[in-house]
Amino acid sequence: MTTPLETEPAALQAAGAGEDRPVYRGTLRYALSKCGGALLSIAMVIVATFFLFRLIPGDPVIAYTRDVPLSPDQIALLRRQMGLDKPLLEQFLDFVVRTLRFDLGTSYEYKRPVLDLIGERVGPTLLLTGVGLVIAVSLGLWQGTRAAWHHGGRHDRVSTGVSLVLWSVPTFWLGLLLLLVFAAGVGPIPGMFPTRGMESVDAPDGIAYLFDVAHHMVLPCLTLVAVVYAQYLLVMRSSLLDELGQDYVTTARAKGLRDDQVRRRHAVPNALLPTVTLVFINIGFVVGGAVSVETVYSWPGLGLLFYEAIKGPDFAVMQGTFMVVCVAVIIMNVLADLAYHVLDPRVRVA
């Protein structure tokens, strides 16, 4: 025979388990709802991808045979081979079926599967924008924290002003300016960096090759960082200023904690939460790359591939690259929502 004291822990344990179960069910519902929304968004992207690029003026057959005299029968044959002779609805259904099979079609210009072209170009894009994103996040969060902590001071005014200016500057204009000054050379400033590409024609092997790629990457990466880091600085500054007015910061200071401890242990971790979403979204854009930067510096990534496809127009390549970017952004948005749900108890569903 058990006494009430012996049964109390078991009862409390059961009650705790009962309390945890709804939380897990709420989290599962939250995750499923986000995944369902992502699938719906991807379906809308598939529809928009097909019809959006059909609005671009130009006929691919005429564009790719402009320098070759062809008879009407030969032009009709090319249109049939490209599948452009079918009714628009039939073309759309074929596109949807192929997409669901992970077949993004064949490039009109390269005569190769689009998925292979994307696979070749995604590496340089990830390298360039990945390095740029890491530097921009680190620099932006560091400068944003300092600006907020010394709100109203000289550092705050200067860093905020510079970031606003850089954020407002068109990316392609900044890239051309840096290219003119530091690649071509202006006045006493000599040309120090390559003007285009990812590697030299006579690129060496081994470690020297890595230095060669890094040398080519300086200006494109600097352009990306200069424009992107301002977002993180301003978001981090705004979030930290909101946190500094909270009661727990006042309590921490009242306990005698140093400013460094209050900032590092209490204010900054909570201020980082809004930045999580921004980081995840920009990771999605990393897959797509920066079209302007890659075009200005002829960096052989997805952005340059997309730009060259627009000039065609190469419908298959445009659709494939656009869809990859959109799906990457959608997936990163879902991961950002899930991460925010885990990190911030205030948004958890009971």
Side-chain angles (χ1 to χ4, degrees), residues 134-153:
V134 170
I135 297 175
V137 170
S138 304
L139 183 63
L141 297 184
W142 173 49
Q143 290 295 316
T145 301
R146 289 192 61 194
W149 202 255
H150 303 286
H151 177 56

Side-chain angles (χ1 to χ4, degrees), residues 287-306:
V287 180
V291 177
S292 299
V293 173
E294 292 188 358
T295 301
V296 169
Y297 294 100
S298 298
W299 188 267
L302 287 178
L304 184 60
L305 179 65
F306 183 77

Side-chain angles (χ1 to χ4, degrees), residues 56-312:
I56 297 178
D59 187 338
V61 176
I62 302 300
Y64 290 114
T65 60
R66 63 171 60 96
D67 298 326
V68 181
L70 296 176
S71 65
D73 292 338
Q74 291 173 315
I75 292 178
L77 177 61
L78 284 175
R79 292 185 65 84
R80 188 163 56 252
Q81 290 175 346
M82 292 180 178
L84 299 176
D85 61 323
K86 300 177 182 178
L88 190 62
L89 180 59
E90 188 175 346
Q91 293 183 43
F92 172 68
L93 294 177
D94 289 343
F95 171 73
V96 172
V97 171
R98 285 189 287 102
T99 301
L100 295 177
R101 295 175 181 170
F102 297 98
D103 178 9
L104 300 181
T106 302
S107 169
Y108 301 154
E109 180 179 0
Y110 298 97
K111 305 296 187 296
R112 295 178 55 197
V114 174
L115 208 55
D116 292 348
L117 292 173
I118 292 176
E120 292 176 357
R121 299 294 189 101
V122 74
T125 291
L126 288 175
L127 175 64
L128 173 62
T129 50
V131 172
L133 183 62
V134 170
I135 297 175
V137 170
S138 304
L139 183 63
L141 297 184
W142 173 49
Q143 290 295 316
T145 301
R146 289 192 61 194
W149 202 255
H150 303 286
H151 177 56
R154 179 181 298 178
H155 178 270
D156 180 29
R157 295 194 300 270
V158 172
S159 60
T160 304
V162 171
S163 63
L164 286 173
V165 170
L166 291 176
W167 200 3
S168 305
V169 169
T171 307
F172 73 90
W173 182 84
L174 180 61
L176 289 174
L177 183 64
L178 293 178
L179 195 64
L180 176 65
V181 174
F182 296 106
V186 174
I189 303 177
M192 297 177 286
F193 300 100
T195 58
R196 57 176 297 150
M198 178 179 170
E199 59 187 31
S200 303
V201 177
D202 54 346
D205 297 326
I207 303 252
Y209 174 76
L210 298 179
F211 281 106
D212 182 66
V213 172
H215 189 219
H216 281 75
M217 195 168 61
V218 170
L219 290 183
C221 189
L222 179 61
T223 305
L224 280 177
V225 170
V227 175
V228 173
Y229 99 98
Q231 303 178 48
Y232 298 102
L233 185 150
L234 296 174
V235 170
M236 186 63 189
R237 177 181 177 274
S238 176
S239 301
L240 188 54
L241 284 177
D242 289 341
E243 296 299 326
L244 291 180
Q246 300 297 322
D247 292 338
Y248 72 87
V249 174
T250 305
T251 303
R253 283 172 167 166
K255 289 180 177 179
L257 294 179
R258 298 192 306 271
D259 274 0
D260 179 62
Q261 292 176 318
V262 174
R263 180 175 67 246
R264 183 163 37 88
R265 296 182 184 179
H266 300 279
V268 170
N270 287 294
L272 281 173
L273 291 175
T275 314
V276 171
T277 302
L278 185 60
V279 171
F280 273 94
I281 291 175
N282 281 336
I283 290 175
F285 282 114
V286 162
V287 180
V291 177
S292 299
V293 173
E294 292 188 358
T295 301
V296 169
Y297 294 100
S298 298
W299 188 267
L302 287 178
L304 184 60
L305 179 65
F306 183 77
Y307 173 76
E308 293 171 343
I310 292 178
K311 294 191 299 183

